[in-house]
Amino acid sequence: MNNMTTIAQPKQPVLKAWEASSGSLPRLLIKGYTREEVRREYRARYNLHDTRVVDVKEITDGNANPKS
């Protein structure tokens, strides 16, 4: 009789690549775990106010290598 119990492991966050932009400012590739983390990083790099809208898009293999 095998009494193996499995202990639920906490899910590890995954570092992802994101493209962030705001208005006429340059787009940046930023690595982060969440959209909000990437927004904060972008605002910090350009010294933007917290109310400034930052568009964030996750970069995936499908986004990076579109097939025509």
Side-chain angles (χ1 to χ4, degrees):
M1 186 147 121
N2 192 353
N3 285 338
M4 292 183 66
T5 55
T6 57
I7 299 171
Q9 296 295 320
K11 196 172 186 180
Q12 294 296 320
V14 177
L15 188 64
K16 298 176 183 177
W18 305 84
E19 181 181 87
S21 62
S22 181
S24 61
L25 294 172
R27 290 181 299 194
L28 288 181
L29 181 65
I30 300 174
K31 290 185 180 180
Y33 294 103
T34 65
R35 288 182 188 278
E36 196 50 46
E37 179 183 25
V38 172
R39 284 187 179 102
R40 284 192 306 266
E41 176 65 22
Y42 188 89
R43 287 182 183 120
R45 289 187 189 188
Y46 284 106
N47 198 25
L48 300 175
H49 191 270
D50 289 345
T51 59
R52 183 79 179 256
V53 175
V54 176
D55 297 317
V56 177
K57 183 169 108 177
E58 183 179 348
I59 303 298
T60 62
D61 288 339
N63 294 2
N65 298 321
K67 296 189 178 187
S68 305

